[in-house]
Amino acid sequence: MKWIKGIAIILLSSLLLAGCSGGDNGGKDGQVTLELFSNKSESIETYKGLIKEFENQNPNIKIKFNSPPEAETVLKTRLTKNDLPDIMSINGNATFGELGRAGVLHDFTDDDAINQVQPPYVDMLNRLVGPDADGVYGLPYATNANGVIYNKTKFEELGLSIPKTWDDFIAALDKAKAAGEKPLMFTLKDAWTGLPMWNSLSGNLVGTDFAEKKNAGETSFQESYPAVADKALQLLSYSEGDVFGVGYGDGNNAFATGDGVMYLQGNWAIPEILKANPDAQVGMFALPVTNNADENKLVSGVDVVLAINENTKHKEEAMKFVEFMLSKEIAQRYIQEQAAFSAVNDVLQEDPVFEGIKTNFENGSIASFVDHYYPAGMGAENLIQDFYINKDKNAFLKKIDNEWDKVVNR
């Protein structure tokens, strides 16, 4: 009966080996299965179409797409379990920085792919990883912008032109209010929707070196952010109704049907608005935060970073997918469908809806998303939402300082 026992051991060993492979060998005919993880619900349909095209071109590679709710939390949990996806399409924020520092991402330094993307956005990502970054752990793919989405029809009716200074912007809000219109659309039920206003103000008034200075004990929110908090409260005074009861989707739909003259959001809201009303006449411009028109910048950041798990068993195939995404035709298709901007060289967003911010990209009048440099796990969006509700500036600035320090000293 020894031979039966021997066969049993061989079978058990092969089953265990199959279990260890995480099922990523895909099975028959040498087919490989890769997991593509995305944190962006807006791009699910776009990715489904692109995956189909990639699989047609590469019949031996199957892409398993995963875009769960609370994606960043899921990703951090998987990091602790050493179970990262093969390919990640994630936001260029503190979570990416954390993964870069953890040494779990592929370093693109010596790959040709790095020459296909714009260096300023690579630098932005390297700053997220930190001063000790000794590699390039993600490729900037799609970029986005915060600003003011406006109803072109209402602007015409009210005789408004695109404001270039803070005083001009306030005057436009006053004019809209006097005409019985809702000057600003806010959707603050979802905490993150308060960030576009916060980032537009902070990116111009504070800057991204705040995080380094804060960690070095050279500044604080109480010292650097009073003007940001004051201007945020001033803009909130132009809201109407229970803005904390309005969700992002509801706000997009309402704005699409003419509710509100202006809307502080990101470019990602535009496809949602046009989905709700394809005839909506909308445009976008940078929030003019100061009274020096030449100093006002568009806040832009890396919306999508493409990263590869350093320990994937199928790096060659993963790289093939990344190269597919970087091809000009695919990069162009992505930004058209997503109403985004591209970090891929020579891939330009030509949609006339973005005419008002095109010059910012062309002349480099760009500031970075400040919240991308806040420590991961601080829950800044909830603290900011709480400030918008309670409007107690001093208590808020003190609290956000303390929360930052708690997370950093953990």
Side-chain angles (χ1 to χ4, degrees):
M1 300 298 281
K2 275 184 184 171
W3 62 275
I4 295 176
K5 199 182 279 183
I7 288 171
I9 288 167
I10 291 165
L11 279 171
L12 185 61
S13 303
S14 57
L15 280 169
L16 285 170
L17 279 170
C20 291
S21 75
D24 59 352
N25 286 343
K28 48 192 175 187
D29 304 329
Q31 193 183 65
V32 162
T33 300
L34 299 174
E35 182 189 355
L36 168 63
F37 184 97
S38 167
N39 72 321
K40 204 170 157 55
S41 60
E42 291 97 336
S43 61
I44 289 173
E45 291 309 313
T46 292
Y47 263 127
K48 282 180 180 173
L50 295 179
I51 288 166
K52 200 172 180 183
E53 190 163 325
F54 175 79
E55 288 178 342
N56 287 341
Q57 291 176 22
N58 300 274
N60 65 321
I61 307 172
K62 181 106 181 95
I63 303 285
K64 181 182 155 197
F65 183 58
N66 184 12
S67 183
E70 303 295 333
E72 284 196 17
T73 308
V74 171
L75 200 56
K76 285 184 196 174
T77 306
R78 289 183 63 172
L79 172 65
T80 62
K81 293 177 178 175
N82 199 20
D83 171 40
L84 282 182
D86 302 286
I87 309 162
M88 285 150 274
S89 166
I90 54 176
N91 196 236
N93 62 10
T95 298
F96 164 74
E98 209 175 283
L99 291 169
R101 287 190 295 278
V104 294
L105 301 178
H106 170 72
D107 180 1
F108 288 96
T109 306
D110 299 322
D111 297 319
D112 284 342
I114 194 74
N115 303 316
Q116 292 172 251
V117 292
Q118 293 172 34
Y121 287 110
V122 174
D123 294 343
M124 234 179 239
L125 294 180
N126 289 346
R127 286 180 68 186
L128 285 165
V129 177
D132 303 326
D134 55 356
V136 176
Y137 298 107
L139 298 173
Y141 186 65
T143 66
N144 58 12
N146 281 168
V148 185
I149 299 171
Y150 70 104
N151 183 316
K152 287 182 172 181
T153 310
K154 288 187 186 290
F155 256 51
E156 214 171 289
E157 287 167 1
L158 294 166
L160 297 173
S161 54
I162 291 179
K164 301 291 182 201
T165 66
W166 176 258
D167 286 349
D168 289 346
F169 185 64
I170 296 300
L173 292 173
D174 285 334
K175 195 169 183 182
K177 194 174 184 175
E181 293 281 0
K182 179 190 285 184
L184 274 178
M185 165 66 72
F186 282 101
T187 63
L188 298 173
K189 183 180 180 181
D190 309 302
W192 72 267
T193 60
L195 290 173
M197 171 166 72
W198 186 258
N199 280 324
S200 290
L201 293 168
S202 311
N204 280 281
L205 295 173
V206 180
T208 47
D209 61 350
F210 170 80
E212 290 157 40
K213 288 181 176 173
K214 167 81 176 144
N215 287 332
E218 293 166 14
T219 190
S220 65
F221 280 92
Q222 291 166 84
E223 213 176 298
S224 295
Y225 271 80
V228 173
D230 285 338
K231 289 196 168 190
L233 291 178
Q234 191 177 348
L235 293 181
L236 275 171
S237 71
Y238 288 94
S239 64
E240 287 180 10
D242 176 20
V243 293
F244 299 100
V246 181
Y248 172 64
D250 294 334
N252 290 337
N253 293 340
F255 193 77
T257 54
D259 187 12
V261 178
M262 289 173 265
Y263 183 19
L264 290 164
Q265 249 305 344
N267 58 285
W268 53 81
I270 287 177
E272 302 300 309
I273 291 165
L274 294 175
K275 210 185 283 177
N277 177 12
D279 298 323
Q281 296 296 306
V282 293
M284 189 172 179
F285 59 87
L287 176 68
V289 175
T290 74
N291 278 324
N292 184 337
D294 296 331
E295 274 180 17
N296 290 320
K297 292 180 177 176
L298 176 75
V299 168
S300 172
V302 181
D303 186 38
V304 177
V305 185
L306 296 177
I308 293 176
N309 179 351
E310 174 59 22
N311 300 312
T312 175
K313 293 177 180 141
H314 304 294
K315 198 169 272 188
E316 197 183 315
E317 290 85 354
M319 192 64 82
K320 198 171 247 193
F321 181 78
V322 167
E323 283 163 0
F324 163 81
M325 291 294 290
L326 291 173
S327 71
K328 284 183 186 169
E329 182 198 335
I330 296 302
Q332 191 75 52
R333 183 166 143 194
Y334 183 94
I335 64 165
Q336 288 316 119
E337 289 188 21
Q338 289 299 301
F341 311 95
S342 189
V344 178
N345 294 331
D346 306 319
V347 177
L348 304 171
Q349 176 55 268
E350 301 291 0
D351 191 325
V353 81
F354 296 116
E355 199 60 48
I357 56 175
K358 204 176 168 186
T359 50
N360 292 84
F361 285 103
E362 287 168 354
N363 64 23
S365 179
I366 298 284
S368 191
F369 281 83
V370 292
D371 74 307
H372 285 187
Y373 299 88
Y374 293 174
M378 190 175 91
E381 66 277 15
N382 297 317
L383 297 168
I384 292 163
Q385 183 193 44
D386 194 48
F387 162 60
Y388 292 162
I389 293 168
N390 296 316
K391 301 179 173 50
D392 187 336
K393 179 177 82 172
N394 296 332
F396 159 68
L397 294 175
K398 196 173 175 183
K399 186 176 183 182
I400 199 167
D401 268 328
N402 291 339
E403 291 301 320
W404 180 300
D405 297 341
K406 259 191 238 172
V407 172
V408 167
N409 298 326
R410 231 175 244 165

